[in-house]
Amino acid sequence: MIIERADVIVTSPSRNFVTLKLTTDEGHTGLGDATLNGRELAVVSYLRDHVVPLLIGRDAHRIEDTWQFLYRSAYWRRGPVTMAAIAAVDMALWDIKGKAAGMPVYQLLGGASRTGLLAYGHASGKDLPELFDSVRHHLEEGYRAIRIQTGVPGLTSIYGIASNAAHEHPGSAAAASGGRYDYEPARRGAWPKEEDWDTRSYLRHVPTVFEAVRGEFGPELPLLHDAHHRLTPIQAAQLGKALEPYDLFWLEDCTPAENQEALRLVRQHTTTPLAIGEVFNTVWDYQQLIREQLIDYVRGSVTHTGGISHLRKVLDHAAQYQIKSGMHGPTDISPVGMAAAMHLGLAIHNFGIQEYMRHSAATDAVFRQSFTWRDGLLHPGDAPGLGVELDVDEAGRYPYEQAYLPFNRLADGTVHDW
Ligand code: GCO
Ligand code: MG
């Protein structure tokens, strides 16, 4: 089965998505997600200018060989642009192989290890009443694990807090609570938004929020929190320790984790479980974190970690150290990338939890999906392949819109991690 055609499709139904579509001589098509939030067109060029010419004429069945060829023949290794491009090819080839076999991809990965995937959603509010409403909406929507982000007194805007409801899925928690609980790049303006940050105010405030949430919703509900790379190692240790009484499922990205040794210091001080890796893209980025058991959950997504084939290797390595998956699943992972995550999560033994933010109605109209969401559990469905089809005409209605992620400045004007 030969790859005859490769198209790179850019569409912006509420936000930008980049999708690779491969077509074989036997008429099978496969989709891969190559979306890199805020840097989308770099991956489009990498694919169109450098990868597509190498794909035409290749045997579509040779997934591992194609991965190794694209990775090693580039000479320049790793990096989010390269790895998102390779990920898209890998996903599309698994999609094709599933369709050719008449099986959902999870069957090709060894079959289901569970009946469904525990998923968490994002509750947020600028203050406690708004946060409690958002938690209640998520519980009504069926979520059985919830991430908690709130405004911090004295700061005007902060990562993870709702902006506006205009592009929300009707009836979703985000729409009902008055806005998106995370940043939708499209229509955000073609210049990075500046936000303010103060670590001491944040560290004082966050434990009081978890105290209040546990008081209102009880001890059972799994709660998560994302520090979004903003703390130094000793500040992260302080936060992990302060949150221990509230029994978090995880504390995410407590430090900018390129400095892997920093996590040794955090670990010495706290038993709060740690999740890291949404900005990593290969198994080598996790080497020390996994080998020294400095984390509890791998946050990599299929889209940004070289596809199903490579993320599976990361997770198999992690399994030897009792580290589980916690795959990244914000709305900047397209429905294709989410489907790939669900197939992989269903098949591996060391699945932990899946992040799941609902896409907008416009996104769902472009990407026709076959996953299910029942009783707090996701399932990729049993359609052959990944189970997602892209409506090209619908996609054509939403041209690319330039959009950047925000950035932070401290009170004295210093740029800080966002
Ligand atoms: C998360 C992430 C996202 C990122 C976003 C950047 O935990 O879901 O931190 O919200 O900020 O994916 O593109
Ligand atoms: Mg995160």
Side-chain angles (χ1 to χ4, degrees):
M1 187 170 48
I2 298 300
I3 302 171
E4 254 186 9
R5 197 179 153 163
D7 299 290
V8 183
I9 299 150
V10 183
T11 179
S12 191
S14 310
R15 70 179 316 139
N16 295 316
F17 294 111
V18 178
T19 311
L20 175 70
K21 181 176 178 183
L22 300 181
T23 308
T24 71
D25 59 347
E26 293 178 17
H28 290 301
T29 58
L31 297 180
D33 178 22
T35 309
L36 186 61
N37 197 1
R39 295 292 185 273
E40 295 88 355
L41 299 187
V43 192
V44 172
S45 163
Y46 194 101
L47 281 169
R48 275 193 190 140
D49 298 333
H50 304 292
V51 173
V52 164
L54 304 175
L55 294 177
I56 309 304
R58 286 187 74 81
D59 180 352
H61 274 305
R62 298 183 65 181
I63 300 178
E64 181 66 19
D65 182 69
T66 301
W67 195 100
Q68 299 295 344
F69 167 68
L70 291 177
Y71 185 80
R72 291 172 201 281
S73 71
Y75 185 66
W76 309 108
R77 292 173 189 232
R78 303 154 74 172
V81 175
T82 300
M83 297 309 287
I86 295 178
V89 175
D90 185 81
M91 269 180 249
L93 292 179
W94 278 106
D95 194 16
I96 287 172
K97 196 183 279 291
K99 287 174 180 168
M103 284 186 195
V105 167
Y106 75 82
Q107 293 291 12
L108 307 180
L109 298 173
S113 287
R114 56 195 50 80
T115 52
L117 307 168
L118 176 68
Y120 75 91
H122 294 195
S124 76
K126 60 180 181 326
D127 50 27
L128 284 179
E130 214 177 272
L131 174 66
F132 286 3
D133 280 352
S134 176
V135 173
R136 281 189 204 100
H137 282 301
H138 279 80
L139 292 172
E140 281 159 21
E141 272 201 323
Y143 283 100
R144 295 290 169 265
I146 298 186
R147 189 185 87 160
I148 300 290
Q149 306 293 134
T150 58
V152 173
L155 296 182
T156 51
S157 51
I158 187 170
Y159 162 77
I161 311 300
S163 48
N164 83 72
H167 309 297
E168 288 312 310
H169 206 290
S172 73
S177 66
R180 172 147 292 286
Y181 37 79
D182 211 331
Y183 293 89
E184 284 288 15
R187 301 184 188 87
R188 204 173 47 204
W191 191 256
K193 184 170 169 274
E194 181 177 323
E195 300 189 344
D196 51 354
W197 180 250
D198 181 82
T199 303
R200 292 188 69 236
S201 310
Y202 166 81
L203 288 178
R204 268 197 313 278
H205 188 60
V206 172
T208 68
V209 171
F210 277 89
E211 166 91 28
V213 171
R214 279 289 177 224
E216 181 74 11
F217 297 98
E220 288 291 330
L221 182 63
L223 298 177
L224 303 87
H225 180 68
D226 190 346
H228 224 249
H229 326 271
R230 293 177 185 193
L231 309 178
T232 65
I234 201 66
Q235 290 166 343
Q238 200 183 331
L239 181 62
K241 204 165 155 179
L243 293 177
E244 278 170 22
Y246 314 113
D247 186 26
L248 264 61
F249 187 96
W250 79 36
L251 170 61
E252 176 183 344
D253 286 333
C254 58
T255 64
E258 303 96 298
N259 174 9
Q260 303 202 359
E261 282 174 31
L263 271 295
R264 287 185 186 150
L265 191 145
V266 182
R267 276 291 211 213
Q268 279 164 20
H269 291 283
T270 182
T271 56
T272 294
L274 302 176
I276 283 181
E278 68 181 41
V279 299
F280 290 176
N281 41 68
T282 66
V283 69
W284 298 285
D285 300 318
Y286 286 99
Q287 235 168 6
Q288 186 177 359
L289 293 179
I290 291 177
R291 202 179 51 234
E292 294 189 26
Q293 305 183 69
L294 299 176
I295 55 171
D296 301 281
Y297 295 93
V298 166
R299 285 286 285 144
S301 63
V302 173
T303 306
H304 300 133
T305 321
I308 292 172
S309 303
H310 192 69
L311 186 56
R312 171 143 210 176
K313 289 174 187 173
V314 178
L315 293 171
D316 284 347
H317 178 37
Q320 313 312 311
Y321 298 89
Q322 292 166 292
I323 297 170
K324 297 188 179 204
S325 72
M327 285 177 240
H328 195 207
T331 49
D332 45 288
I333 304 291
S334 89
V336 178
M338 285 301 293
M342 289 183 224
H343 285 279
L344 181 57
L346 202 68
I348 56 171
H349 178 250
N350 58 329
F351 171 81
I353 198 166
Q354 174 64 52
E355 181 178 21
Y356 169 50
M357 289 172 79
R358 291 183 69 179
H359 283 112
S360 69
T363 299
D364 290 347
V366 170
F367 295 93
R368 306 225 183 85
Q369 301 155 62
S370 43
F371 77 94
T372 56
W373 165 239
R374 263 183 229 117
D375 304 323
L377 301 182
L378 290 165
H379 189 287
D382 282 303
L386 292 174
V388 183
E389 292 305 326
L390 187 139
D391 183 327
V392 177
D393 295 335
E394 192 65 18
R397 293 180 51 212
Y398 303 100
Y400 168 77
E401 293 183 51
Q402 184 160 350
Y404 288 99
L405 283 159
F407 76 108
N408 272 324
R409 279 192 198 277
L410 307 179
D412 71 356
T414 308
V415 173
H416 191 70
D417 294 296
W418 182 74

